[in-house]
C-alpha cells in the first residue's frame, strides 16, 4: 500500500491552497536539493522513509492474517502509558491510529529531540517499527547534527551564550486516510515554530505549516510508524502584526511547558 497523493477529501493539502509567491525563510520540499540551515532543521524529520517502502506494501510484513484465521497481535492496546517519555498503548482502531500519529509527532517536536542524540535515539526506537529504526536514525543523525553544528547548539539545547533552541509543533488537524487491522495511514496538518531565540542567529524562530504523512503498522499489540514523510500543507494568511523579536522567544526555552499529549 502506498500513500495516495490525490487531494480528494484532504482539506489541508497544499493543492487546495491559493498559489503564492516566495516568502522569506519559506522551506522547500526536501526532495529539492537546497542546502539551507532552515531546511535542514525543520525538515530533518521528513526523510524517515519512502511511501513505497516494502513494509508499507506487503501484508505479510505487517503481520496480517495469513489465511489461518488467527493473529498473535492484541486487538486493543494495553492502555496509554509512557515508554521513554513517549505515550504508547493505543487501541487497534482508527481513533487509536490517529492518536498514535499525533503523539509521535509531538514526541519529536522538542528541542531536546534535536539537540540530544540519546533522547533522539530513545524516542525513535519507541515510535518506529523495528525494521524502520536503523534507517530513520541514520537520516535523523546526519541531518540534525549538521544543523545543530551550523546553529551552534550544544547537547543541552542552547548556544554557548545560552540562547535556547525552539522546536514546537502543534497538530491542527488529523485524519485517517486508510485503515485495516494491520496498517493505517494518517495525515497531520501542523503549525511549527523552529529556530534559535537570539537576534544574531542564522535561523531566528520561524513559522511553517506542513502536512505529515504517517504509515503505521500494528506491532506486538501497538501502533508503530513504518514511514514518516512531509509535504506542503495549507498556509493561511499572515496576521497584520509584526514578527516578534527573536529574544522574546527565550521564555519558551526548554520543553517543560509544551502542550500535553493527545488522549
Amino acid at each position: 500500500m502506498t500513500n495516495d497523493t490525490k487531494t480528494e477529501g484532504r482539506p489541508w493539502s497544499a493543492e487546495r491552497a491559493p498559489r503564492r509567491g516566495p516568502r522569506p525563510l519559506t522551506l522547500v520540499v526536501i526532495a529539492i536539493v537546497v542546502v539551507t540551515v532552515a531546511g535542514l532543521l525543520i525538515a530533518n524529520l521528513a526523510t524517515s522513509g519512502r511511501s513505497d517502502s516494502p513494509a508499507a506494501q506487503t501484508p505479510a510484513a505487517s503481520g496480517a492474517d495469513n489465511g489461518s484465521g488467527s493473529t498473535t497481535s492484541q486487538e486493543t492496546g494495553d492502555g496509554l502509558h509512557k515508554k521513554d517519555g513517549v505515550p504508547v498503548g493505543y487501541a487497534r482502531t482508527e481513533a487509536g491510529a490517529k492518536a498514535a500519529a499525533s503523539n509521535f509527532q509531538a514526541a519529536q517536536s522538542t528541542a531536546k529531540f534535536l539537540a540530544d542524540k540519546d533522547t533522539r535515539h530513545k524516542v525513535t526506537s519507541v515510535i518506529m517499527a523495528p525494521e524502520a529504526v536503523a534507517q530513520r536514525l541514520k537520516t535523523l543523525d546526519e541531518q540534525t547534527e549538521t544543523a545543530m553544528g551550523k546553529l551552534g547548539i550544544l547537547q543541552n539545547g542552547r548556544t554557548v551564550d545560552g540562547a535556547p533552541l525552539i522546536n514546537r509543533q502543534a497538530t491542527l488537524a488529523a485524519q485517517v486516510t486508510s485503515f485495516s487491522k494491520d496498517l493505517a495511514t494518517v495525515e497531520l496538518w501542523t503549525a511549527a515554530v523552529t529556530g534559535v531565540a537570539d537576534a544574531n542567529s542564522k535561523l531566528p524562530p520561524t513559522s511553517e505549516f506542513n502536512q505529515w504523512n504517517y504509515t503505521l503498522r500494528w506491532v506486538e499489540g501497538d501502533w508503530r510508524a513504518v514511514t514518516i514523510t512531509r509535504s506542503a500543507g495549507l498556509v493561511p494568511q499572515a496576521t497584520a502584526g509584526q514578527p516578534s523579536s527573536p529574544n522574546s522567544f527565550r521564555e519558551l526555552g526548554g520543553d517543560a511547558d509544551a502542550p500535553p499529549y493527545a488522549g
Side-chain angles (χ1 to χ4, degrees):
M1 179 179 64
T2 59
N3 289 344
D4 187 359
T5 57
K6 295 180 180 179
T7 60
E8 188 67 26
R10 301 177 185 193
W12 54 77
S13 170
E15 293 300 322
R16 294 180 179 269
R19 300 293 182 183
R20 296 185 185 157
R23 293 179 298 130
L25 295 176
T26 297
L27 303 184
V28 296
V29 178
I30 196 168
I32 302 175
V33 185
V34 178
V35 182
T36 63
V37 175
L40 283 171
L41 185 58
I42 296 181
N44 77 85
L45 302 180
T47 57
S48 61
R50 293 169 15 185
S51 60
D52 59 353
S53 165
Q57 294 178 336
T58 309
S62 66
D65 191 339
N66 59 9
S68 64
S70 63
T71 177
T72 58
S73 297
Q74 295 173 246
E75 289 304 313
T76 59
D78 53 1
L80 280 182
H81 59 281
K82 287 187 177 181
K83 180 178 180 181
D84 287 330
V86 182
V88 295
Y90 299 95
R92 198 174 189 178
T93 61
E94 290 192 26
K98 185 185 296 186
S102 299
N103 283 340
F104 292 166
Q105 188 68 20
Q108 299 168 96
S109 302
T110 68
K112 195 171 184 181
F113 182 85
L114 294 180
D116 182 50
K117 185 175 182 178
D118 290 341
T119 297
R120 187 163 62 249
H121 280 230
K122 287 180 180 179
V123 170
T124 301
S125 295
V126 172
I127 70 175
M128 302 301 294
E131 70 274 15
V133 172
Q135 181 58 48
R136 173 72 165 166
L137 285 176
K138 181 178 184 294
T139 301
L140 285 175
D141 288 347
E142 289 174 355
Q143 294 186 343
T144 303
E145 290 173 13
T146 297
M148 295 299 98
K150 289 184 177 181
L151 292 174
I153 299 296
L154 306 177
Q155 189 173 357
N156 64 1
R158 293 175 177 268
T159 65
V160 174
D161 296 331
L165 171 68
I166 307 299
N167 181 38
R168 298 289 180 85
Q169 293 193 51
T171 296
L172 304 179
Q175 64 178 349
V176 176
T177 56
S178 68
F179 182 81
S180 71
K181 290 176 58 179
D182 301 291
L183 287 172
T185 57
V186 182
E187 293 178 350
L188 307 178
W189 177 39
T190 66
V193 176
T194 306
V196 180
D198 185 87
N200 297 319
S201 172
K202 297 177 181 177
L203 179 65
T206 303
S207 65
E208 180 73 3
F209 291 86
N210 294 297
Q211 178 179 310
W212 293 92
N213 312 294
Y214 278 75
T215 298
L216 305 174
R217 183 166 78 84
W218 189 257
V219 181
E220 298 177 351
D222 209 352
W223 291 112
R224 305 280 287 277
V226 177
T227 64
I228 306 171
T229 59
R230 184 178 71 97
S231 54
L234 285 180
V235 180
Q237 290 283 354
T239 63
Q242 294 298 313
S244 301
S245 68
N247 286 330
S248 66
F249 286 86
R250 283 178 177 261
E251 295 180 2
L252 291 178
D255 301 317
D257 57 345
Y261 288 101

